[in-house]
Amino acid sequence: MSKAGNTDYDRQAAGGRVTLVGAGPGAPDLLTLRGQKALMEADVVIYDDLANAELLGWCRPDATRIYVGKRAGQHCMPQAQIGELIVREALLNQHVVRLKGGDPLVFGRGGEEMAALAEAGIPYAVVPGVTAAVAAGAAAGIPLTLRGTASAVVFVTGHECAGKNDGAVDWSALARTGATLCIYMGVRRLPEIARALSAGGLAGSTPVAVVANATLPDQSVHLATLATAEPLSAVLAGQPALIIVGEVVRWPQLARAAIGQQLLAGA
Ligand code: SAH
């Protein structure tokens, strides 16, 4: 290696760096091995609500732990300040782990954090995590794709569904795709979303599953249809929940029926 190369390497090795780590959906053993390694090595861990606090048990005893949690409607620390905090800690030559629920780059503001790091010239890496949609499918036994039934999956936020014409999410267009819709942050606006999807042409009989606290001890799975889903909004208020809309939601029943038939056939 050239001398210049060495110098560059040393400068980088001595400097701070950041790892954005996906904590997974809740169950602590759904953290990846790579994420665990980063946590074990970190000087500083910056975390929020959706990351299971048990994961901090992997940190070195002398690691600094900083909570920047925010629940819907009660922001503890604005995103810009979180970005500044990460940069500030890294500039102190620390290895900073930014631990985020699910995957850091799926509705996780990871994009903003990477931009802040790039602007400050701080090296960073991303460790993916099990995102809520995937965890909810697994928890409820619902295949998000199914040959002949659903060839596409959409990850969409329900948070921006303020009104019919708000423009952020085109629910009518989504209704026409035939894709399985995995709606994040949608419980509060479930009635509006159901109406918008129906207006876009999805039948009222389209099955809906709402999986709350997926992979956690208080996990619950609620089955409905587009026409009957509305009350779940109040029932599940304040809980992290993932809404799955599409024919694949029938799969648990279909599978049970098929198994029943096999049993009958075998009897
Ligand atoms: N980055 C995260 C998503 C953050 S947005 C990820 O990749 O999963 C927060 C939303 O994620 C919640 O409103 C909810 O819709 C969903 N969510 C997160 N954890 C969940 C869980 N354990 N069960 C169901 N939904 C969850």
Side-chain angles (χ1 to χ4, degrees):
M1 198 183 273
S2 72
K3 196 157 190 301
N6 271 332
T7 310
D8 280 353
Y9 178 77
D10 291 346
R11 187 167 57 79
Q12 206 167 39
R17 65 195 166 98
V18 175
T19 312
L20 300 179
V21 175
D29 57 348
L30 286 174
L31 175 73
T32 64
L33 292 175
R34 191 181 294 185
Q36 182 196 45
K37 182 165 180 276
L39 274 178
M40 288 163 76
E41 289 171 0
D43 301 306
V44 180
V45 179
I46 300 175
Y47 67 102
D48 45 40
D49 295 289
L50 281 172
N52 193 320
E54 263 186 56
L55 296 179
L56 300 178
W58 293 113
C59 299
R60 294 195 331 247
D62 62 326
T64 307
R65 297 143 203 228
I66 306 175
Y67 172 74
V68 291
K70 51 190 174 189
R71 293 208 183 270
Q74 291 168 230
H75 290 250
C76 285
M77 187 184 280
Q79 185 58 41
Q81 269 181 42
I82 296 176
E84 283 166 21
L85 173 69
I86 299 171
V87 167
R88 200 164 57 239
E89 293 294 330
L91 288 175
L92 295 171
N93 289 345
Q94 317 246 43
H95 178 195
V96 179
V97 161
R98 172 67 172 115
L99 186 64
K100 301 171 80 79
D103 182 89
L105 304 184
V106 178
F107 302 124
R109 312 294 298 262
E112 285 99 315
E113 292 175 10
M114 288 193 296
L117 293 166
E119 197 180 327
I122 295 166
Y124 64 85
V126 182
V127 178
V130 176
T131 190
V134 169
I142 295 169
L144 300 185
T145 65
L146 191 60
R147 192 176 279 258
T149 301
S151 305
V153 185
V154 172
F155 291 176
V156 57
T157 172
H159 193 59
E160 288 167 7
C161 181
K164 266 190 272 180
N165 300 317
D166 95 334
V169 174
D170 186 341
W171 295 97
S172 293
L174 291 181
R176 289 192 297 272
T177 58
T180 302
L181 305 179
C182 295
I183 306 169
Y184 290 70
M185 298 172 276
V187 168
R188 200 153 58 87
R189 296 197 159 126
L190 182 54
E192 286 161 74
I193 294 169
R195 277 196 292 278
L197 288 172
S198 299
L202 272 188
S205 58
T206 306
V208 175
V210 186
V211 185
N213 298 299
T215 80
L216 290 164
D218 51 352
Q219 169 181 303
S220 60
V221 180
H222 308 260
L223 296 176
T225 64
L226 261 196
T228 65
E230 177 166 345
L232 290 175
S233 182
V235 173
L236 297 173
Q239 300 185 39
L242 200 289
I243 304 166
I244 305 176
V245 180
E247 291 301 323
V248 291
V249 171
R250 290 192 207 281
W251 179 247
Q253 292 104 302
L254 289 176
R256 270 197 295 278
I259 291 166
Q261 272 169 14
Q262 275 169 21
L263 289 176
L264 283 176

